[in-house]
Amino acid sequence: MGIVAGLDSSPEFTRIVVCDADTGAVLKQGYAPHPVEGRPSDVDPQAWLLSLGEAAGGGLLEGVQAIGVSAQQNAVVPLDAQGNTVRPAMVGGDKRAQVAAADLVDALGGREAWAQSVGCVPQAAQPVTKLRWLNKTEPDAALRTAVLLQAHDWLVWQLLGRPVRRTTDRGGASGTGYWSAATGAYRSDLVELALGHQAMLPEVIGPADAAGTTPEGLLISAGTGETMAAAFGLGIGLGDAVVSLGASGSVMAVHPEALVDNTGMITSLADATGMHLPVVTTLNAVRTLRGAVEMLGLSDLESLSDLAMKSTPGSHGLVLLPYLEGERTPNLPHTAGTLSGLRRESMKPEHLARAAFEGMLCGLADALDVLRGRGVEVRRVFLLGAAAELSAVQAAAPALFGAQVVVPQPADYAAIGAARQAAWALGVSQGTLDPRTPPMWQGPAAQVLEPGEELAVGQAVRQQFVAVREQMYPGAFR
């Protein structure tokens, strides 16, 4: 079919990959940071265009027939009736909006009402919450807001020359807090509840649909959010879950239907293929390890991992409940971490180091079990993030998760996913691909780890963790 490109506009940079449309082989790459200092809460979206232009320099896109766009989620670009930005885009995990999130939960009648309406409970980062903050804090800007776009919607619109038609995809729409993955429809009443009035929302197009064609004849696919693009780039399907190890952690899996979770622990997102992508988030992942590094006076995570490997599974009875920042899964927002099982023989640095790794992974296993408890099948777990390379993580994860663990080689999976979407839209437009079946690209190079004989030991460590959790917080998952 030729060559396609995928661009990922993350919070800090734009990365572009040019791929063979048939195999997915990466042929060329481009990169440029956004001309923005740090991680501000407000960003002029022109910065995204500037880094896009720089990343595409040197003729990178010559011969490309289609482009897919992935971009940071939770970024809201408010436009006036003429299509101009009313104010800078509101991006990232915006702590300013925490009060607005609580206001919205109460205004609709509680967490269960939100879960039933749109498959998620408002968090500070979400677009719907940022609209509430805008309405309460900058009422003039809110009043002038006539059109609402997310980052990938805005970039697609710009690439197409700012046409009258504005589009988005199911994946991006599902993270807004005003579109339901279960019904496939907007809840414009929730936009009005948050913003104070109605606004124009982009048309939600199908996974294989094209958003349009540039005047030069370049096809632009639907685009999607970074999470959905990365899942598509990894090639995950039914039976697969992805565990992301950042400061906080997330667990997501492919599922054929939207999950409505009245507790609010599951965020019911749509993916980039027509399926669903339920997500469970923990607040404490690698921050648990970094805390242990500081507590033990070590230099880095690798030193902590080496020390932990001198201990044994179960950490000589030490159990760390890693709720250092409170916790979302289980819902314990005001709690703290707990170190249990201290005995004279367990009070050694290597056992504390091991307990930090086991506590982090058991917390993520709890999140996996939330999905399993709702009928989500998990046969393989893709483990992402720099900490996935640590020997202590790889030694413990398969047995604690009770599944095969796949550690993909680091790559720009969101950009690759965007390119795969472009290849799909191109193939459909040429009549060579089915709109229900994405192109079959080669999967990522990866290390595969099996639980093997350690499975029983791992499940005993899990039981030790669960026993302490139930003792401290009885019924936390009920």
Side-chain angles (χ1 to χ4, degrees):
M1 285 196 302
I3 60 173
V4 294
L7 73 87
D8 176 37
S9 180
S10 82
E12 283 132 4
F13 56 78
T14 297
R15 200 178 293 277
I16 302 175
V17 296
V18 176
C19 299
D20 181 286
D22 294 311
T23 66
V26 176
L27 307 174
K28 295 184 285 185
Q29 300 185 57
Y31 168 87
H34 298 318
V36 175
E37 291 291 324
R39 294 279 293 264
S41 299
D42 295 318
V43 174
D44 182 347
Q46 292 296 328
W48 307 334
L49 282 183
L50 289 169
S51 66
L52 192 166
E54 189 179 339
L60 184 76
L61 299 179
E62 282 178 15
V64 165
Q65 294 164 274
I67 291 181
V69 177
S70 153
Q72 59 180 302
Q73 286 157 247
N74 297 324
V76 187
V77 187
L79 305 178
D80 63 19
Q82 287 72 46
N84 301 311
T85 49
V86 168
R87 68 180 310 286
M90 296 174 279
V91 302
D94 201 334
K95 291 188 176 179
R96 296 177 300 185
Q98 285 174 337
V99 172
D103 283 350
L104 278 177
V105 172
D106 291 343
L108 195 65
R111 296 168 64 87
E112 186 171 341
W114 277 96
Q116 292 286 347
S117 297
V118 286
C120 64
V121 177
Q123 306 292 330
Q126 274 183 298
V128 71
T129 307
K130 287 170 175 164
L131 297 182
R132 179 76 163 196
W133 177 87
L134 187 67
N135 182 19
K136 297 296 183 185
T137 313
E138 300 177 10
D140 290 345
L143 203 58
R144 287 175 22 239
T145 298
V147 182
L148 294 172
L149 298 180
Q150 293 189 85
H152 80 84
D153 310 334
W154 187 84
L155 285 165
V156 165
W157 184 58
Q158 294 289 331
L159 289 172
L160 290 171
R162 297 164 59 108
V164 173
R165 180 189 188 219
R166 301 176 181 92
T167 62
T168 190
D169 86 309
R170 297 168 65 255
S174 67
T176 59
Y178 44 82
W179 186 88
S180 166
T183 64
Y186 280 117
R187 287 288 302 267
S188 54
D189 58 316
L190 298 182
V191 174
E192 186 167 354
L193 180 69
L195 187 62
H197 61 87
Q198 295 288 347
M200 190 176 291
L201 302 170
E203 176 189 346
V204 181
I205 61 176
D209 292 345
T213 305
T214 68
E216 299 77 29
L218 191 63
L219 185 139
I220 309 294
S221 65
T224 194
E226 264 186 326
T227 297
M228 300 79 189
F232 198 38
L234 283 166
I236 67 169
L238 291 173
D240 293 332
V242 177
V243 173
S244 295
L245 299 177
S248 54
S250 70
V251 176
M252 64 181 176
V254 179
H255 199 57
E257 59 189 30
L259 296 179
V260 175
D261 174 50
N262 293 338
T263 68
M265 281 192 289
I266 298 174
T267 299
S268 193
L269 300 178
D271 79 349
T273 73
M275 301 281 275
H276 294 270
L277 205 62
V279 178
V280 179
T281 303
T282 69
L283 295 183
N284 301 280
V286 176
R287 65 166 39 99
T288 306
L289 305 183
R290 296 205 182 282
V293 165
E294 292 173 16
M295 189 173 180
L296 291 167
L298 301 173
S299 57
D300 52 31
L301 294 178
E302 288 75 15
S303 304
L304 184 72
S305 175
D306 292 343
L307 184 61
M309 293 300 285
K310 295 177 181 175
S311 182
T312 53
S315 310
H316 272 244
L318 276 191
V319 175
L320 176 64
L321 299 184
Y323 308 151
L324 309 184
E325 298 280 323
E327 191 46 83
R328 247 185 92 176
T329 308
N331 185 31
L332 299 168
H334 306 300
T335 191
T338 302
L339 186 62
S340 174
L342 284 169
R343 291 188 172 83
R344 179 65 189 87
E345 62 272 18
S346 66
M347 295 177 73
K348 295 182 179 178
E350 60 266 31
H351 302 323
L352 177 58
R354 178 93 188 193
F357 282 97
E358 290 179 345
M360 175 188 76
L361 291 170
C362 283
L364 290 161
D366 278 349
L368 266 174
D369 284 350
V370 170
L371 295 178
R372 284 174 166 140
R374 293 298 305 277
V376 177
E377 185 181 10
V378 178
R379 293 193 304 270
R380 289 192 302 178
V381 174
F382 286 73
L383 201 54
L384 303 184
E389 303 287 336
L390 297 173
S391 54
V393 169
Q394 295 190 5
L400 292 177
F401 292 161
Q404 182 188 81
V405 169
V406 179
V407 185
Q409 285 186 359
D412 307 311
Y413 291 112
I416 291 168
R420 189 179 177 206
Q421 188 192 63
W424 195 5
L426 180 65
V428 169
S429 75
Q430 295 174 340
T432 57
L433 287 177
D434 188 319
R436 294 163 299 182
T437 309
M440 298 302 292
W441 280 12
Q442 188 174 348
Q447 189 176 1
V448 178
L449 309 166
E450 300 284 355
E453 296 176 358
E454 296 295 313
L455 182 59
V457 174
Q459 295 312 293
V461 174
R462 279 274 287 131
Q463 286 305 313
Q464 180 177 268
F465 179 90
V466 170
V468 173
R469 189 195 68 221
E470 280 298 302
Q471 184 179 11
M472 290 294 299
Y473 307 105
F477 277 102
R478 283 181 209 145

